[in-house]
Amino acid sequence: MGAVLVGIATAWGRAREGGRVVVLDEGDRAVRASRGTFALVWVQSKGLGLAPYAGWTIRSSNAWGGFSDLLKQETGLDVCFQRPGGFHLALSEKELEARANTLKRLHNQPDIVDYKTEILGHDEVARMLPDIGREVVGASYCLLDGHVNSLRLFRTLHTALNARGVSYRPSHRVENITKVAGEFRLSTTQGEVRANRVALAAGNANMRLAPMVGLEAPMKPERGQIVVTERLRPFLNHPVVTLRQTDEGTVMIGDSKEESTDPSGLTLGVSATEAERAVRMFPLLANVNVVRTWSAIRVMTKDGFPIYDESETHPGAFVLCCHSGVTLCANHALTVAPMIARGALDKALVAPFSARRFHVPAAG
Ligand SMILES: Cc1cc2nc3c(=O)[nH]c(=O)nc-3n(C[C@H](O)[C@H](O)[C@H](O)COP(=O)(O)OP(=O)(O)OC[C@H]3O[C@@H](n4cnc5c(N)ncnc54)[C@H](O)[C@@H]3O)c2cc1C
């Protein structure tokens, strides 16, 4: 259940394996991270603190091209996935040094997958991003980074679900789940739905739903804000972690993190800081019009890494939740969904990503 990025990608992948798939979702007023996403398919710096997350992310990044081709074959729609390599720009020597140290710690972890991230100086960056400002002292660069058009991705996935005969039921908020005689019974605002298997992909709401089937999903949601400009001539051929030019020409700016969980608010100071840093990175943005700003609540587990788990007490129940649901979309559709169809998650997936990792007693 849950019908935005994680839920619909998994439902589509599950439908490809055959069988009847039903997606239960809240209505249009639901709080949805997917609605406010920045839409990077991002690799660099993922996995500091949990090395397998780097490998999991690279797997999805590598699968994304094939995933978007499959979607295009099924729907005729192009989600505009591109992987030209991405930058994390630094506006001072201190920022660049901090960035280099973070990447060193990441790549020094035992069992980390081997991939390349480079630290580049101003001139090297300027060769690929000619419009950077003088204040950009350098950047980290990773060839595996990319981005996609997130609104097209929703539309395409919903079209693909429809084509596969998946029953999408909006305004079916699940209130309770029980298992009776080997069958799950989901009480929704529009009556009961029965199923042999249940995959919880309800974002931060997994925290409430997972315990109903013997699972857990400790979450720590946070708010992010994005500023969008009018359409500009193409000037940015690579996404930057805080700024990207969409295939339609608009520039999206934002990478903020606030503890607030109010999805209706917008902290103007945060938008102003995002815009100010963007102008220092690309001075040509100084005179462009902002056409939209929004905030959205990130789906964030307590330690920031994904949770993929299956229930021991309620076999057939699964939970999936993660930040970076755009990046991991290909994995959810092509790797996790077939596991759910087979009735069990692979041990190699559950070992690093089960919520059991939160049971480790604190030292001392
Ligand atoms: C500002 C911002 C920037 C981001 N940038 C990136 C990025 O660049 N790259 C990237 O990979 N990721 C990014 N993310 C994260 C990514 O958007 C999320 O990981 C992804 O959208 C999570 O999708 P989801 O389907 O798990 O959750 P959500 O989008 O939150 O959806 C949850 C769904 O569950 C449904 N639901 C909830 N409770 C119930 C219930 N009881 N019954 C039925 N249905 C229910 C809701 O209706 C909703 O449809 C960003 C997020 C934010 C907020």
Side-chain angles (χ1 to χ4, degrees):
M1 87 189 49
V4 249
L5 273 181
V6 175
I8 45 174
T10 311
W12 175 72
R14 174 66 191 82
R16 291 179 76 227
E17 304 292 313
R20 185 151 177 260
V21 181
V22 175
V23 177
L24 303 175
D25 197 16
E26 290 183 301
D28 280 347
R29 296 181 69 86
V31 174
R32 291 177 170 137
S34 306
R35 198 157 50 184
T37 192
F38 197 57
L40 295 173
V41 177
W42 206 248
V43 170
Q44 63 169 294
S45 75
K46 299 279 178 72
L48 181 58
L50 189 70
Y53 183 40
W56 181 241
T57 301
I58 289 174
R59 179 183 178 135
S60 200
S61 164
N62 288 338
W64 242 103
F67 172 55
S68 62
D69 287 348
L70 275 173
L71 289 174
K72 196 168 185 180
Q73 278 163 26
E74 291 209 2
T75 63
L77 299 170
D78 183 358
V79 298
C80 303
F81 168 67
Q82 301 169 50
R83 191 166 74 158
F87 288 87
H88 184 123
L89 299 184
L91 288 173
S92 68
E93 292 294 347
K94 203 172 154 201
E95 278 182 27
L96 192 60
E97 195 185 323
R99 183 73 192 142
N101 283 336
T102 300
L103 292 174
K104 203 178 286 171
R105 284 195 292 133
L106 170 79
H107 291 289
N108 281 346
Q109 292 177 115
D111 304 326
I112 191 88
V113 60
D114 188 22
Y115 74 97
K116 200 169 161 199
T117 312
E118 295 171 80
I119 297 289
L120 307 177
H122 175 96
D123 292 349
E124 289 165 297
V125 179
R127 275 198 278 280
M128 286 192 274
L129 303 177
D131 289 296
I132 51 166
R134 277 178 297 130
E135 285 193 69
V136 175
V137 298
S140 61
Y141 173 71
C142 177
L143 255 177
L144 302 178
D145 292 328
H147 57 155
V148 66
N149 182 319
S150 56
L151 294 179
R152 278 171 182 256
L153 180 60
F154 296 143
R155 176 162 173 235
T156 304
L157 278 168
H158 271 284
T159 306
L161 281 187
N162 208 17
R164 289 249 166 211
V166 173
S167 167
Y168 169 58
R169 302 190 192 170
S171 304
H172 277 68
R173 181 187 148 93
V174 175
E175 302 295 349
N176 196 29
I177 312 172
T178 53
K179 196 170 186 192
V180 180
E183 194 180 52
F184 290 99
R185 297 188 180 179
L186 297 100
S187 322
T188 81
T189 35
Q190 304 212 40
E192 188 180 86
V193 176
R194 297 183 181 196
N196 294 327
R197 282 184 202 143
V198 174
L200 304 178
N204 289 309
N206 281 331
M207 190 155 49
R208 184 180 72 83
L209 296 166
M212 296 176 190
V213 289
L215 288 164
E216 58 183 318
M219 307 301 292
K220 202 178 80 174
E222 62 178 34
R223 194 166 74 183
Q225 286 187 195
I226 288 174
V227 174
V228 186
T229 73
E230 62 186 317
R231 291 176 192 199
L232 305 178
R233 66 164 171 86
F235 74 97
L236 191 55
N237 293 327
H238 299 265
V240 174
V241 71
T242 53
L243 195 152
R244 69 184 193 92
Q245 187 166 28
T246 67
D247 55 289
E248 285 154 350
T250 57
V251 175
M252 290 178 71
I253 302 166
D255 184 34
S256 65
K257 295 180 177 73
E258 281 182 281
E259 277 190 10
S260 169
T261 52
D262 171 10
S264 59
L266 194 76
T267 309
L268 278 180
V270 169
S271 305
T273 305
E274 289 176 334
E276 189 256 343
R277 283 184 64 85
V279 170
R280 289 167 66 198
M281 289 174 183
F282 293 94
L284 64 79
L285 294 174
N287 296 316
V288 306
N289 291 310
V290 166
V291 293
R292 272 186 295 283
T293 58
W294 65 69
S295 74
I297 306 301
R298 287 193 173 85
V299 176
M300 195 61 80
T301 63
K302 274 252 164 75
D303 61 3
F305 300 115
I307 295 175
Y308 303 106
D309 226 338
E310 59 196 349
S311 178
E312 286 173 3
T313 56
H314 296 62
F318 303 89
V319 65
L320 293 74
C321 47
C322 63
H323 180 59
S324 299
V326 181
T327 304
L328 297 175
C329 214
N331 278 357
H332 295 151
L334 304 178
T335 303
V336 179
M339 293 180 195
I340 293 174
R342 290 195 294 274
L345 301 182
D346 289 0
K347 285 195 172 52
L349 179 68
V350 176
F353 297 123
S354 163
R356 284 192 290 275
R357 67 181 183 267
F358 296 103
H359 296 175
V360 175

